[in-house]
């Protein structure tokens, strides 16, 4: 178990993050040139991060179709991220509702909500700019997720935030520095990475603090809920309808992706930073083991 954090530590961290937010932030409306032309021939994601990379379906695609698939996959990830950030904002508002608004902790939570509003708008504008629909999650998951702010609370709530943010963060860090990726996508990634670093620090400390206050039975519930949400997070990244863009039937594309060792390895790689922290914190346990494995964040044998 990680060290216990005191209430004074909570305020100190929040105060530091508030100062960082004031000094380092972007306004996507101003800092992104939305009218700049897209660069012909550049990819939207790294080819090896495509859900179909290495499959028979991938081998059958032309170079132009591979770029087109990547374009729709990045739009799916962005609009699914947008959906998750809306849920995140709801959860943070529930946290703030009963807190002292004069505290640095409450004020940083509100600052994070403001950041997420800008990110959501940025993701939506990027999808529209590259000519893709707002994929988001499949309808069944969208309905189920309405329960999330109710069934998740405490450490599992912040753990879910960390899984979504840190998995996406690792993918974005890799792509924001690769000059083969479209400049627009790289800039969107850069903005999100910079500002989410503060949110990750905030959430990690809340997990550590919250776990120290829980008993054995409550911890088991938190472990199960986090694993369940994490499963839906990783499965939601690629909407089945993206495959239609290159003439692949959605069901065929999904089956190929879920059985694709390269895609499974990509998800596991993207979770390499967050999973050790969640284990150390006590949020990964037997109650959620099935869903952790199905999420691909916990490779077989671990």
């Amino acid at each position: 178990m990680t060290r216990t954090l005191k209430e004074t530590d909570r305020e100190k961290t929040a105060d530091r993050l508030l100062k960082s937010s004031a000094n380092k932030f972007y306004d996507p409306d101003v800092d992104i040139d939305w009218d700049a032309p897209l660069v012909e021939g550049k990819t939207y994601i790294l080819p090896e991060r495509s859900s179909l990379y290495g499959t028979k379906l991938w081998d059958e695609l032309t170079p132009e179709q591979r770029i087109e698939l990547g374009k729709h996959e990045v739009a799916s990830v962005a609009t699914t991220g947008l959906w998750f950030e809306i849920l995140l904002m709801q959860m943070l508002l529930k946290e703030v509702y009963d807190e002292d608004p004069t505290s640095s902790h409450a004020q940083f939570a509100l600052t994070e909500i403001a950041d997420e509003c800008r990110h959501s708008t940025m993701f939506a504008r990027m999808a529209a700019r590259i000519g893709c629909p707002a994929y988001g999650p499949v309808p069944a998951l969208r309905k189920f997720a309405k329960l999330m702010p109710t069934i998740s609370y405490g450490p599992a709530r912040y753990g879910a935030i960390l899984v979504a943010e840190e998995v996406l963060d690792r993918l974005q860090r890799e792509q924001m520095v690769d000059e083969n990726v479209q400049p627009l996508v790289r800039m969107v990634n850069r903005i999100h990475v910079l500002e989410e670093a503060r949110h990750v620090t905030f959430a990690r400390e809340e997990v550590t603090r919250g776990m120290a206050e829980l008993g054995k039975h409550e911890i088991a519930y938190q472990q199960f809920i986090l694993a369940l949400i994490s499963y839906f997070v990783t499965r939601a990244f690629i909407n089945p309808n993206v495959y239609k863009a290159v003439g692949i039937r959605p069901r065929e594309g999904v089956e190929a992706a879920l059985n694709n060792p390269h895609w499974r390895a990509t998800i596991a790689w993207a979770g390499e930073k967050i999973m050790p922290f969640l284990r150390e914190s006590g949020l990964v346990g037997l109650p959620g083991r099935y869903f952790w494995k199905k999420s691909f964040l916990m490779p077989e044998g671990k």
Side-chain angles (χ1 to χ4, degrees):
M1 183 70 69
T2 51
R3 66 189 179 91
T4 301
L5 296 173
K6 300 177 182 177
E7 189 67 25
T8 52
D9 295 325
R10 188 190 212 196
E11 281 294 280
K12 287 178 181 177
T13 297
D15 187 59
R16 175 172 58 82
L17 294 175
L18 279 169
K19 290 175 181 175
S20 175
S21 297
N23 292 328
K24 297 178 182 178
F25 73 95
Y26 285 97
D27 181 349
D29 286 338
V30 175
D31 295 312
I32 295 178
D33 183 0
W34 295 102
D35 295 322
L38 298 172
V39 182
E40 187 174 351
K42 285 192 179 287
T43 63
Y44 294 80
I45 61 172
L46 298 181
E48 60 269 28
R49 298 305 178 197
S50 171
S51 62
L52 296 184
Y53 180 82
T55 67
K56 183 175 182 293
L57 291 175
W58 178 266
D59 292 340
E60 293 171 350
L61 296 176
T62 66
E64 293 75 19
Q65 286 177 313
R66 291 173 181 177
I67 291 176
E68 185 70 9
L69 175 60
K71 181 174 77 171
H72 285 264
E73 285 183 319
V74 81
S76 177
V77 170
T79 53
T80 298
L82 184 161
W83 159 77
F84 192 82
E85 289 189 334
I86 290 172
L87 291 172
L88 185 158
M89 288 186 274
Q90 291 180 46
M91 293 188 287
L92 285 173
L93 283 169
K94 286 174 70 72
E95 291 281 324
V96 173
Y97 190 81
D98 293 320
E99 288 203 23
D100 177 0
T102 66
S103 71
S104 294
H105 182 267
Q107 288 173 23
F108 182 74
L110 291 170
T111 299
E112 181 170 342
I113 291 166
D115 289 345
E116 301 299 7
C117 282
R118 293 196 305 275
H119 296 169
S120 296
T121 303
M122 176 175 70
F123 288 156
R125 289 191 69 176
M126 183 184 75
R129 177 65 186 86
I130 64 178
C132 292
Y135 285 107
V138 297
L141 180 53
R142 190 181 291 274
K143 289 181 180 179
F144 170 77
K146 291 180 180 180
L147 296 174
M148 213 168 89
T150 301
I151 65 174
S152 68
Y153 56 88
R157 174 175 291 172
Y158 283 100
I161 291 170
L162 285 169
V163 168
E165 299 291 9
E166 294 215 40
V167 167
L168 183 57
D169 178 84
R170 195 152 201 218
L171 292 167
Q172 290 183 323
R173 282 181 185 273
E174 180 184 52
Q175 300 195 87
M176 73 183 193
V177 296
D178 194 304
E179 294 187 359
N180 292 311
V181 175
Q182 289 283 348
L184 171 63
V185 176
R186 291 175 62 200
M187 188 60 182
V188 167
N189 287 345
R190 186 175 293 111
I191 290 174
H192 195 245
V193 163
L194 173 70
E195 299 191 338
E196 289 301 332
R198 294 189 287 265
H199 304 172
V200 166
T201 298
F202 186 70
R204 282 187 176 230
E205 292 206 2
E206 289 303 302
V207 166
T208 300
R209 186 177 296 105
M211 289 298 290
E213 300 170 353
L214 299 181
K216 181 178 179 180
H217 295 297
E218 183 61 36
I219 287 176
Y221 176 78
Q222 297 282 322
Q223 290 174 338
F224 175 77
I225 288 297
L226 176 58
L228 178 66
I229 294 173
S230 299
Y231 162 77
F232 284 120
V233 166
T234 60
R235 290 298 177 91
F237 278 139
I238 305 301
N239 186 298
N241 288 319
V242 303
Y243 302 116
K244 290 181 181 179
V246 290
I248 296 172
R249 289 179 298 176
R251 180 171 293 185
E252 186 180 5
V254 169
E255 183 178 353
L258 293 181
N259 291 303
N260 182 5
H262 289 281
W263 178 241
R264 292 185 177 201
T266 285
I267 297 298
W269 168 81
E272 279 180 352
K273 287 179 63 180
I274 186 55
M275 291 304 293
F277 171 77
L278 295 176
R279 287 193 184 94
E280 182 185 355
S281 299
L283 266 176
V284 177
L286 185 60
R289 189 175 181 83
Y290 172 83
F291 287 107
W292 281 122
K293 289 189 175 297
K294 288 292 185 180
S295 73
F296 306 142
L297 289 167
M298 182 186 288
E300 294 294 331
K302 292 293 184 72

